[in-house]
Amino acid sequence: MQKKLIALAVAGLISAPVFAQSNVTVYGIADVYYGFGKYDDNKFNGIESGGIAGSRLGFKGSEDLGNGLKALFTLEYSIDLDKNEGVGTAGGLRARQQFVGLQGGFGFVGAGRQYAPGYFYVAKYDTSAIVPLSPYHKFVGANGSNIQAGSASRINNSINYISPDFGGLTVNAIYGFNEVNQDENRTAGDLAQIGAQYNNGPLSVGLIYSQVKQDASAVTAGTYAIAGSDETKKEWFVGASYDFKVVKVTGMYNSVDDARVDGDTNDVWALGAIVPVSAAGSVRLSYAAADNDTDDTDADGWTVYYFHSLSKRTTLYTGYARISNDDATSHSLLASTAGQGADENASSFVVGVNHTF
């Protein structure tokens, strides 16, 4: 018995400094829904993952370095709840973000794979909850926008700076290195994005400028750039919301120059509203429209959602969306209903549950 007590005491002495220096949190989202979608005579129904937020598993931590300085890290990975795929399967780790950084009175500086300002701003102002029923999300994705709450706003090889809060105003800037064909053009394919957001009570306003330095001889088609272009791809975003208590209204506008083809400009705008109907429930409405030079097509769509909070961490939701493609051929809602032709409208319905931990 005495030997066991001594062993436990030694183990405690060895492990205590490790725990004292670490502050690690395991977090995540488990989101799954039933979805039904159709266009023309084509239909789909089934169970999908990530209805109002992508399912994920993450680890984050911090260490107090003294004098107000902290070291931070985050490792966050996508998970598909509806199939045999998780962290480390079907395409590797599928990292959403992986970075390490420092935070203090100067703000935050991090390096790794990180979210651009567009991810946070669009997620804040899109009342249709981004996926899978957001026409705005579908339109800006088809337009080649890098200002969106999706993969194009997760920047590899990046340095990110987030300022302190100056009376409700914060600045968020990121630079991502393409790291390809460095001998020909060191900045070819590099992405730069800067955003400023002002939050004051019921009012929120966000502005973003983003650009990719393209080089036809050095940059191939990718998440951020287009192939065969020497034009700098530039885009702007403005979003705003105001909470009147009885209703919260939102608006967004996105414009991309040299979006898919040199000289083309693609525009998307959206309006939304969140209407509380009880202490636990709210109705969410949105409308979005796209005007595309790239293929000279227009499209518009609308959604209606209902959210019901069972607790602070668990939400039930249901929603319906419809996209009118006009003469467009590339806009769908549920991914499994992609492929409709010109003038074919797409509609989708979902019901699901979202749990955060």
Side-chain angles (χ1 to χ4, degrees), residues 71-159:
L72 308 174
F73 81 90
T74 294
L75 307 172
E76 182 180 295
Y77 306 103
S78 298
I79 295 177
D80 287 338
L81 297 186
D82 58 314
K83 61 189 70 171
N84 186 26
E85 291 186 12
V87 175
T89 64
L93 292 174
R94 298 185 299 165
R96 295 171 59 91
Q97 53 179 337
Q98 304 177 117
F99 66 84
V100 64
L102 296 174
Q103 182 175 338
F106 55 84
F108 167 81
V109 176
R113 175 174 167 84
Q114 301 171 90
Y115 289 145
Y119 183 94
F120 300 107
Y121 294 13
V122 174
K124 184 177 181 68
Y125 303 123
D126 191 346
T127 59
S128 55
I130 312 306
V131 289
L133 299 188
S134 169
Y136 180 86
H137 181 67
K138 302 300 180 184
F139 295 159
V140 295
N143 284 355
S145 172
N146 292 312
I147 302 177
Q148 55 165 290
S151 295
S153 279
R154 300 184 182 109
I155 311 303
N156 294 331
N157 314 310
S158 66
I159 298 175

Side-chain angles (χ1 to χ4, degrees), residues 89-338:
T89 64
L93 292 174
R94 298 185 299 165
R96 295 171 59 91
Q97 53 179 337
Q98 304 177 117
F99 66 84
V100 64
L102 296 174
Q103 182 175 338
F106 55 84
F108 167 81
V109 176
R113 175 174 167 84
Q114 301 171 90
Y115 289 145
Y119 183 94
F120 300 107
Y121 294 13
V122 174
K124 184 177 181 68
Y125 303 123
D126 191 346
T127 59
S128 55
I130 312 306
V131 289
L133 299 188
S134 169
Y136 180 86
H137 181 67
K138 302 300 180 184
F139 295 159
V140 295
N143 284 355
S145 172
N146 292 312
I147 302 177
Q148 55 165 290
S151 295
S153 279
R154 300 184 182 109
I155 311 303
N156 294 331
N157 314 310
S158 66
I159 298 175
N160 180 215
Y161 171 72
I162 302 175
S163 75
D165 188 320
F166 299 105
L169 177 66
T170 57
V171 176
N172 187 336
I174 195 166
Y175 191 94
F177 297 90
N178 189 40
E179 298 183 355
V180 175
N181 293 310
Q182 296 287 318
D183 291 338
E184 295 186 30
N185 187 337
R186 291 185 182 275
T187 63
D190 288 6
L191 178 144
Q193 191 173 120
I194 183 169
Q197 190 171 68
Y198 177 72
N199 297 298
N200 185 0
L203 175 66
S204 177
V205 180
L207 300 171
I208 298 174
Y209 172 75
S210 178
Q211 72 171 43
V212 179
K213 182 64 176 179
Q214 302 182 132
D215 185 325
S217 64
V219 180
T220 57
T223 302
Y224 315 127
I226 60 176
S229 175
D230 285 318
E231 299 295 328
T232 298
K233 179 179 176 180
K234 301 176 181 179
E235 59 179 306
W236 299 85
F237 168 90
V238 58
S241 67
Y242 194 92
D243 191 349
F244 293 95
K245 301 302 180 182
V246 294
V247 60
K248 181 178 182 179
V249 295
T250 68
M252 295 181 290
Y253 177 81
N254 174 275
S255 182
V256 188
D257 293 332
D258 302 304
R260 293 290 190 188
V261 179
D262 285 358
D264 284 352
T265 299
N266 292 346
D267 300 324
V268 179
W269 63 271
L271 296 174
I274 301 176
V275 183
V277 294
S278 69
S282 64
V283 173
R284 296 173 173 239
L285 309 170
S286 70
Y287 175 84
D291 180 10
N292 303 330
D293 283 347
T294 297
D295 51 9
D296 194 26
T297 60
D298 298 331
D300 67 327
W302 57 270
T303 68
V304 56
Y305 259 112
Y306 175 71
F307 282 24
H308 191 87
S309 299
L310 298 178
S311 70
K312 291 183 178 180
R313 297 189 297 154
T314 303
T315 301
L316 294 179
Y317 60 89
T318 185
Y320 177 83
R322 183 175 178 83
I323 286 179
S324 299
N325 284 291
D326 297 334
D327 51 355
T329 60
S330 60
H331 300 125
S332 60
L333 292 163
L334 295 181
S336 301
T337 63

